[in-house]
Amino acid sequence: MQAIPYGKVACYGQIADLAGLPGRARLVGKALGAAPKQGWRDQAVPWHRVINAQGKISFAANSEHFQQQKKLLQDEQVVVIAGKVKLSDFQWQPDLAELLFVLQE
DNA sequence: GCATTGACTCGAC
DNA sequence: GGTCGAGCCAATG
């Protein structure tokens, strides 16, 4: 099981697909919400690195969750503008990530 | 078992 | 490129 690398983000559909749940993006969101923010597999769940297909944070711009996620992403050098992330630069590409992971090992 | 709801996605405007 | 509406699937009541 690999997690989304530092400084990268992924959309719900992508996660769902990787999780073997194609078309169940909403379930991913629900799962993330239900999952403990910490203590899963002895690590914090990088829920803040998960955004929707439009590259936007799926929370109301005035909600606490939104600001929290935005802050966390920015702390990871991910540019967040108007609640949006530049997917072309920060979207996680599983193939490449997996390749790097293999090479690293 | 049916109706509602939701951290979504895609196509159309 | 941003917004709107319809579609999808599971979980919940």
Side-chain angles (χ1 to χ4, degrees):
Chain A
M1 178 64 88
Q2 67 250 91
I4 303 172
Y6 180 95
K8 292 288 182 178
V9 297
C11 70
Y12 295 92
Q14 191 171 14
I15 300 299
D17 191 43
L18 289 174
L21 301 169
R24 263 130 306 227
R26 310 186 82 130
L27 271 297
V28 176
K30 197 171 281 189
L32 286 175
K37 293 182 174 57
Q38 179 180 315
W40 180 75
R41 217 190 59 145
D42 203 36
Q43 279 194 355
V45 179
W47 61 273
H48 57 278
R49 293 180 186 157
V50 185
I51 57 183
N52 64 23
Q54 302 183 332
K56 300 196 293 189
I57 295 174
S58 298
F59 281 115
N62 59 353
S63 70
E64 294 299 321
H65 281 126
F66 175 91
Q67 314 224 1
Q68 172 95 10
Q69 183 165 15
K70 180 181 173 185
K71 184 183 186 309
L72 288 171
L73 287 174
Q74 286 178 150
D75 284 345
E76 298 193 354
Q77 303 181 350
V78 175
V79 178
V80 181
I81 303 173
K84 291 171 294 186
V85 173
K86 198 174 182 181
L87 288 179
S88 56
D89 287 344
F90 298 105
Q91 182 171 39
W92 178 37
Q93 301 194 329
D95 294 329
L96 177 59
E98 189 171 20
L99 177 60
L100 292 173
F101 182 80
V102 174
L103 290 175
Q104 184 175 256
E105 294 294 327

